[in-house]
Amino acid sequence: MNMKNMKGGAIVLPDKFNIYDLIQKYKDTIKIESFGGNSIGGYLYKLIFEVIPDKEEIMSINPGEKNENNIISNVSEIILKIVQIRSHFSSVSMYNKKEVVTRGDFVEEVQIQNDIYNKSMDTFCEPICPNIITDEIIYISDIGQQNSLNILNEIYINQNPSGFTSESLTPFLDDSTQRDIGGVGLIFMESKTECKPIASLWSTDHSDLTPNDVHIITTQEQQIVLDHFIFQLIRLANLGYSHRDPHLNNALFIKNYNYIDDYRVYLIDFGR
């Protein structure tokens, strides 16, 4: 097994892990939800496995759990960030209010998040951002071939046949007038079960909150989570980084009474 960033918390992968193979195996039981609201950095989705993969395929180690039975757990959710990669011949920087980045920008974002994860584990003994499972770039010339993006689009389109949502995970590729896209960057990262964007605590519609969440969010609970968010931004600064776009959809929280702390907050979206 490949213990990816094992110090203090980890996603554990088999030596020959392939995200395409995992998605292909469970494609009939994966639900894809738009996640995290609007971000100029890309499109965020959550992959929810209704049939949970075996621990031999992918698992999580969580030393902060009070219950020792939960220290090693299955992975039931994965966060996916989709980024538009600019063509070499294009100078366009934005499309549909989303940033169109270079390949170098994408690689740098992945490196920054990995660095923040590792440094936070070394310094604070707990992560302040999700662990990246894997990343890849699908170039325009490969869009029609067998790859992770195509199978995810197939899942998403099949689960939304009524057309009430976007036709695909990559609406920018559906626009025939869009010529500056050279590829699509995919970042797969860990997701704690039933984690939510902090912004959902201020939503007037609480239908997206799970039964484990309170039915009516109180001002005190909002303040606790917001304090955790600010604390994580301070920690980020202590590591030598500042967040480019620190809004409440770029931070996740989980209310988990198995943890030593009732609330945990994770920062996301470290693009340029």
Side-chain angles (χ1 to χ4, degrees), residues 10 41 44 92 105 130 165 170 172 181-182 203 210 222 233 236 245:
L44 288 171
V92 177
D105 292 337
T165 60
T170 51
F172 51 90
I181 305 299
S203 171
T210 68
Q222 289 174 337
L233 289 174
L236 183 66
D245 192 21

Side-chain angles (χ1 to χ4, degrees), residues 8 16 24 26 40 43 51 61 69 78 80 85 87 99 106 109 118 137 139 154 158 160 169 174 224 228 234 245:
K16 296 183 179 180
Q24 175 68 33
Y26 291 96
I40 63 171
Y43 301 82
V51 174
I61 296 181
N69 294 325
I78 293 175
L80 168 64
I85 306 295
S87 166
E99 197 167 29
F106 176 79
E109 177 178 353
N118 291 325
I137 295 177
Y139 292 99
E154 178 186 337
N158 288 340
N160 295 295
L169 299 173
D174 300 332
I224 290 171
H228 277 272
I234 293 172
D245 192 21

Side-chain angles (χ1 to χ4, degrees), residues 124 227 229-239 241 267:
F124 312 122
D227 287 346
F229 173 51
I230 295 171
F231 182 55
Q232 296 292 50
L233 289 174
I234 293 172
R235 281 178 155 184
L236 183 66
N238 288 338
L239 297 178
Y241 289 97
L267 305 177

Side-chain angles (χ1 to χ4, degrees), residues 40-42 81 83-87 92-94 98-107 109 180-183 185 244 271-272:
I40 63 171
K81 181 177 180 179
V83 180
Q84 302 168 112
I85 306 295
R86 188 188 312 168
S87 166
V92 177
S93 61
M94 297 287 288
K98 300 288 183 180
E99 197 167 29
V100 183
V101 304
T102 66
R103 178 185 179 280
D105 292 337
F106 176 79
V107 171
E109 177 178 353
D180 63 312
I181 305 299
R244 178 176 179 265
R272 294 175 65 86

Side-chain angles (χ1 to χ4, degrees), residues 144-202:
Q145 300 179 19
Q146 195 175 52
N147 55 57
S148 303
L149 180 61
N150 280 345
I151 192 168
L152 288 170
N153 259 328
E154 178 186 337
I155 295 169
Y156 190 68
I157 292 169
N158 288 340
Q159 77 179 28
N160 295 295
S162 61
F164 288 122
T165 60
S166 299
E167 293 182 2
S168 73
L169 299 173
T170 51
F172 51 90
L173 294 179
D174 300 332
D175 187 344
S176 60
T177 65
Q178 187 62 16
R179 304 298 184 192
D180 63 312
I181 305 299
V184 180
L186 306 177
I187 303 176
F188 297 88
M189 61 191 93
E190 68 171 323
S191 170
K192 301 300 182 184
T193 302
E194 296 181 348
C195 71
K196 299 283 184 180
I198 292 180
S200 65
L201 291 174
W202 277 263

Side-chain angles (χ1 to χ4, degrees), residues 32-258:
I32 302 177
E33 296 180 351
S34 181
F35 183 67
N38 293 323
S39 169
I40 63 171
Y43 301 82
L44 288 171
Y45 299 93
K46 183 186 285 189
L47 313 184
I48 302 172
F49 291 82
E50 296 178 344
V51 174
I52 299 175
D54 296 333
K55 290 178 181 176
E56 291 76 15
E57 296 172 299
I58 182 172
M59 67 178 176
S60 177
I61 296 181
N62 311 289
E65 289 277 359
K66 289 180 181 178
N67 186 340
E68 64 180 15
N69 294 325
N70 294 328
I71 291 177
I72 298 177
S73 63
N74 297 83
V75 173
S76 60
E77 299 179 0
I78 293 175
I79 296 172
L80 168 64
K81 181 177 180 179
I82 296 180
V83 180
Q84 302 168 112
I85 306 295
R86 188 188 312 168
S87 166
H88 293 298
F89 307 103
S90 172
S91 60
V92 177
S93 61
M94 297 287 288
Y95 170 65
N96 194 26
K97 297 183 179 180
K98 300 288 183 180
E99 197 167 29
V100 183
V101 304
T102 66
R103 178 185 179 280
D105 292 337
F106 176 79
V107 171
E108 183 180 39
E109 177 178 353
V110 172
Q111 291 174 339
I112 287 173
Q113 183 163 336
N114 280 327
D115 190 47
I116 291 170
Y117 180 92
N118 291 325
K119 284 184 176 179
S120 64
M121 294 306 309
D122 287 337
T123 306
F124 312 122
C125 297
E126 64 176 3
I128 63 174
C129 66
N131 191 187
I132 292 179
I133 299 170
T134 189
D135 63 275
E136 61 180 316
I137 295 177
I138 310 296
Y139 292 99
I140 289 296
S141 59
D142 298 324
I143 291 295
Q145 300 179 19
Q146 195 175 52
N147 55 57
S148 303
L149 180 61
N150 280 345
I151 192 168
L152 288 170
N153 259 328
E154 178 186 337
I155 295 169
Y156 190 68
I157 292 169
N158 288 340
Q159 77 179 28
N160 295 295
S162 61
F164 288 122
T165 60
S166 299
E167 293 182 2
S168 73
L169 299 173
T170 51
F172 51 90
L173 294 179
D174 300 332
D175 187 344
S176 60
T177 65
Q178 187 62 16
R179 304 298 184 192
D180 63 312
I181 305 299
V184 180
L186 306 177
I187 303 176
F188 297 88
M189 61 191 93
E190 68 171 323
S191 170
K192 301 300 182 184
T193 302
E194 296 181 348
C195 71
K196 299 283 184 180
I198 292 180
S200 65
L201 291 174
W202 277 263
S203 171
T204 55
D205 176 12
H206 297 303
S207 62
D208 61 338
L209 297 180
T210 68
N212 292 330
D213 295 314
V214 292
H215 296 294
I216 299 176
I217 306 300
T218 66
T219 301
Q220 181 181 11
E221 286 168 314
Q222 289 174 337
Q223 190 61 55
I224 290 171
V225 175
L226 188 59
D227 287 346
H228 277 272
F229 173 51
I230 295 171
F231 182 55
Q232 296 292 50
L233 289 174
I234 293 172
R235 281 178 155 184
L236 183 66
N238 288 338
L239 297 178
Y241 289 97
S242 60
H243 201 291
R244 178 176 179 265
D245 192 21
H247 58 75
L248 297 185
N249 273 317
N250 275 343
L252 313 176
F253 83 97
I254 178 173
K255 185 176 182 180
N256 185 340
Y257 290 105
N258 288 325

